């Protein structure tokens, strides 16, 4: 069984994230959307809200599971028998950062990282952008699933 993890804080989960998962679904038997919990960060959206947003996005898809975790993503993958990590790449800066992580996860945990280049019409969307719109009463809802 091919199991992949798509990990992040997802504060919030955007239509860009949703697009990556939808494009990855044909390649894997199961995708675990893993919401990382970092006690040192104060997210804008609560954990319950993030789980609800993601859950509504994949309500009829048995291949998608939502979990939370703390600690290293590679350890979470091993615990869940996941052989792959899914990562979205918007630009060269993302690739440089993600490539270093991918190499480390491969070396330490034996986890392969599969990169998805962001759909061009969604490449400007980030959780940071959505949070800024939210904080400043802008139209952030169009970026959520």
């Amino acid at each position: 069984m091919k199991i992949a993890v798509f990990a992040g804080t997802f504060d919030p989960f955007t239509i860009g994230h949703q697009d990556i998962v939808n494009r990855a679904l044909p390649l894997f038997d199961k995708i675990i959307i893993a919401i990382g919990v970092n006690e040192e960060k104060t997210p804008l959206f609560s954990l319950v809200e993030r789980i609800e947003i993601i859950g509504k996005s994949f309500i009829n898809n048995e291949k998608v599971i939502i979990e939370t975790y703390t600690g290293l993503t590679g350890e979470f993958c091993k615990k869940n028998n996941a052989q792959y990590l899914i990562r979205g790449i918007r630009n060269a800066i993302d690739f440089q950062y993600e490539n270093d992580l991918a190499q480390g996860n491969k070396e330490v945990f034996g986890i392969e990282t599969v990169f998805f280049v962001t759909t061009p019409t969604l490449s400007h969307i980030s959780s940071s952008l959505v949070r800024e719109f939210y904080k400043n009463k802008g139209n952030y809802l169009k970026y959520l699933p």
Side-chain angles (χ1 to χ4, degrees):
M1 177 177 266
K2 290 189 225 169
I3 301 170
V5 168
F6 187 35
T9 54
F10 302 118
D11 185 32
F13 189 82
T14 69
I15 57 175
H17 295 126
Q18 182 183 36
D19 181 61
I20 295 294
V21 173
N22 283 333
R23 291 168 48 211
L25 278 168
L27 303 176
F28 302 103
D29 300 308
K30 178 165 85 171
I31 295 177
I32 302 169
I33 299 176
I35 304 171
V37 177
N38 183 342
E39 299 297 328
E40 296 176 13
K41 289 185 177 181
T42 305
L44 185 61
F45 293 84
S46 74
L47 185 57
V48 170
E49 288 172 313
R50 289 179 277 161
I51 291 169
E52 285 178 3
I53 291 169
I54 298 168
K56 287 178 183 175
S57 300
F58 300 101
I59 196 162
N60 294 321
N61 196 318
E62 296 173 0
K63 288 173 66 171
V64 176
I65 295 168
I66 305 162
E67 302 224 4
T68 62
Y69 76 103
T70 58
L72 295 174
T73 303
E75 288 177 353
F76 177 83
C77 289
K78 284 300 196 187
K79 180 180 154 197
N80 288 278
N81 298 314
Q83 310 93 339
Y84 305 95
L85 270 170
I86 296 169
R87 301 303 297 165
I89 303 290
R90 291 176 297 193
N91 53 43
I93 295 167
D94 280 356
F95 177 76
Q96 190 170 7
Y97 173 77
E98 295 293 346
N99 186 51
D100 290 344
L101 288 177
Q103 290 178 8
N105 281 319
K106 176 65 174 169
E107 184 177 332
V108 175
F109 299 105
I111 305 293
E112 287 290 346
T113 300
V114 179
F115 295 119
F116 285 84
V117 176
T118 305
T119 300
T121 57
L122 303 175
S123 65
H124 66 289
I125 300 170
S126 68
S127 293
S128 299
L129 173 76
V130 176
R131 286 192 305 271
E132 280 302 308
F133 282 151
Y134 178 86
K135 288 178 195 174
N136 293 292
K137 302 190 182 353
N139 182 11
Y140 69 94
L141 291 175
K142 70 182 195 174
Y143 298 117
L144 301 181

